[in-house]
Amino acid sequence: MRLDHQAIQKWIPPKTRVLDLGCGDGTLLRQLTDELNIHGYGVEINPENILRCVEICVNVIEQNLDEGLSNFDDLSFDTVIMSQTIQTMHNPDKVLNEMLRIGRQAVVTFPNFAHWRARWHLFWKGRMPVSEHLPYEWYNTPNIHFCTITDFEVLCHDMGIKVVDKLVIDRNGTSPLVESFPNYFAETALYLLSKKS
Amino acid sequence: MSKPFPEDSIGLVSPQTYPFDEPLELACGKSLAQWELVVETYGELNAEKSNAVLICHALSGHHHAAGYHSEDDKKPGWWNHYIGPGKAIDTSRFYVVSLNNLGGCHGSTGPASINPETGKPWGKDFPNLRVRDWVHSQAKLADKLGIEKWAAVVGGSLGAMQCMRWALEYPERVAHCVVIASAMKLTAQNIAFNETARRAIMSDPHFFEGDYLLNESLPSSGLSVARMIGHLTYLSDDGMGKKFGRELRSGSFERGREDPVEFQIESYLRYQGETFSKSFDANTYILMTRALDYFDLAREYDDDPVAAFRHALCKFLVISFTSDWRFSPERSREIVNALMRADKDVVYAEIESSYGHDAFLIPNQVRYQELFAAYMNKIKV
């Protein structure tokens, strides 16, 4: 089981309604359905991924997230997830707003662009970081809105979004080093968010 | 003689007629005392009778969905590319039931059949049918075949409307509902196209207000124009452009010449109209287009599609095609949104295609085929 998926699972109450925006091949929803008996829907745009979802019996809706989420009603889901996708959105801030309109809580995970390897790459090579984790060149990457852990937290603060819980991991999971200096050592950041009441 | 049929074809099939003696109460208040359905089946019904799939046909469809009627048959059934061994609707797993709907003109009781009360063709006196009447008649057929629950009901366009009605009328009898290129109700523009087609038929002097058979006549030119109108709306601008463009079939625009010019598209549409008018009944065309117009999934549920779909117990696959402007993806998205609000399981895919509304019938569309097959393969039998 993927580390980030394992972490997300802890934040999802059993038997609730879950919307996964950019659900990929559906593995997260499959896992949450099997383990927690949730009722989930994935939203996806990639035909290959949609086919994979069908093959593992995951509800999947073909829809372009950048065209908006107005077809989803206010508070119609318990949790809205966006896993490793927010950095591909045209308007990440608007998406965050929409997630917390549709869901009682939101889970957002993203690659931390201030990870030391990325800093190293940019600092010494003077080129946009390309790694196993982020394998694209600047001109063909779907990741058009990279952010760092600090960036994300500033945005949440500015938007009045409450960070209910957070988890920072590198490829081996969590460690004291990663937890002490997340913006240097975390490869992936995971946030559980809600609206400030 | 060597086997002339392709390996992935169901091969030789023959239709069967099922007579029904108990009256069928219709939505219009009338009833049909005796009626018949013509049916084809493909594959084997398993011992648990859990692998039956119902195919609901669209406006001009019929029971002959797959296979060949004879070894000399030039064309297989209308959905042959999607029904057969190893195909999307895999006949090595499923027992497929395909019928000609009531009011049809391919053998089931319809306007061209003999009214037992008068001994003459029904003609204009044949009752108006609604989608639910077909669904009820199909349920009686299921009873007769010993099928308590369909593994899936599958249809495109008007056929998919029957599938959705099935899910609401007989929720416990449907496990999966496959809705392709359809809508919960027609738009005004859509009804307008149908009415224009009906007017073409009715204004043919050979129509005799629907009693053309009694008058030993046929409104062929009216029906032909009706089909041309329908057919062109099933294609897309882009698709027609690619296939025909402004190509000429005959004549030229050269200066000094005035031989009559005919565009390829003109000749194609005319041919489609003429062929259709020879094999289809005008009253059936009127009846089927009216059933399309009248259909409104949520009418009796306070016009609330979410309330309507709450009655369903099945899972849904909804498919639309990008260039389909007669049943646009937006109409399918309405279905999907209502299903999600009703907390029903649903998969929705919008297939890139230039074939317009007809796309659901057209072979060799890889993504459509793969997705349809993947969904059907996951259905437990």
Side-chain angles (χ1 to χ4, degrees), chain B residues 16 51 104 130 149 168 199 214 227 234 267 282 286 297 317 348 369:
Chain B
Q16 255 194 306
N51 67 334
R130 298 193 199 155
K149 184 175 185 172
L168 304 188
R199 279 295 132 195
L214 283 176
R227 181 57 177 176
Y234 304 146
S267 123
I286 292 171
L297 183 89
L317 168 64
Y348 172 58
Q369 238 158 300

Side-chain angles (χ1 to χ4, degrees), chain A residues 65-171:
Chain A
L65 298 174
D66 278 326
E67 282 169 14
L69 295 164
S70 58
N71 56 321
F72 294 99
D73 298 334
D74 294 2
L75 299 179
S76 52
F77 284 86
D78 297 288
T79 309
V80 181
I81 301 173
M82 184 169 267
S83 170
Q84 304 286 342
T85 302
I86 196 156
Q87 75 282 358
T88 69
M89 296 286 96
H90 283 156
N91 302 103
D93 53 339
K94 286 182 187 153
V95 169
L96 270 179
N97 244 339
E98 281 294 85
M99 288 175 75
L100 285 167
R101 175 185 67 78
I102 298 162
R104 274 162 239 285
Q105 62 173 22
V107 171
V108 176
T109 83
F110 57 88
N112 173 29
F113 203 62
H115 182 258
W116 68 267
R117 263 196 214 92
R119 293 180 188 229
W120 178 271
H121 208 105
L122 191 56
F123 187 79
W124 289 108
K125 294 194 177 166
R127 296 194 58 192
M128 288 301 276
V130 176
S131 66
E132 192 188 326
H133 199 55
L134 299 165
Y136 303 98
E137 293 287 353
W138 65 274
Y139 47 83
N140 63 11
T141 179
N143 304 315
I144 54 172
H145 278 128
F146 270 126
C147 70
T148 70
I149 287 178
T150 312
D151 284 333
F152 186 76
E153 289 184 7
V154 167
L155 179 65
C156 288
H157 176 265
D158 291 351
M159 289 177 68
I161 292 169
K162 185 175 156 195
V163 175
V164 181
D165 200 358
K166 94 181 218 192
L167 195 78
V168 285
I169 55 175
D170 67 8
R171 60 194 61 181

Side-chain angles (χ1 to χ4, degrees), chain A residues 17 19 39-41 45-48 50-51 54-63 70-73 77, chain B residues 316-317 333 336-337 339-351 367 370-372 374-376 378:
Chain A
R17 255 167 80 89
L19 180 64
H39 195 230
Y41 297 91
I45 195 170
N46 177 294
E48 272 305 306
I50 291 169
L51 186 62
V54 172
E55 285 167 351
I56 56 170
C57 301
V58 160
N59 291 328
V60 60
I61 311 300
E62 180 162 343
Q63 184 173 335
S70 58
N71 56 321
F72 294 99
D73 298 334
F77 284 86
Chain B
F316 291 80
L317 168 64
R333 285 198 287 266
V336 172
N337 288 333
L339 284 169
M340 283 197 288
R341 289 185 176 116
D343 208 30
K344 301 298 161 190
D345 285 320
V346 53
V347 166
Y348 172 58
E350 221 167 277
I351 308 288
R367 185 174 174 218
E370 281 183 354
L371 187 109
F372 191 5
Y375 187 89
M376 295 303 293
K378 280 294 172 186

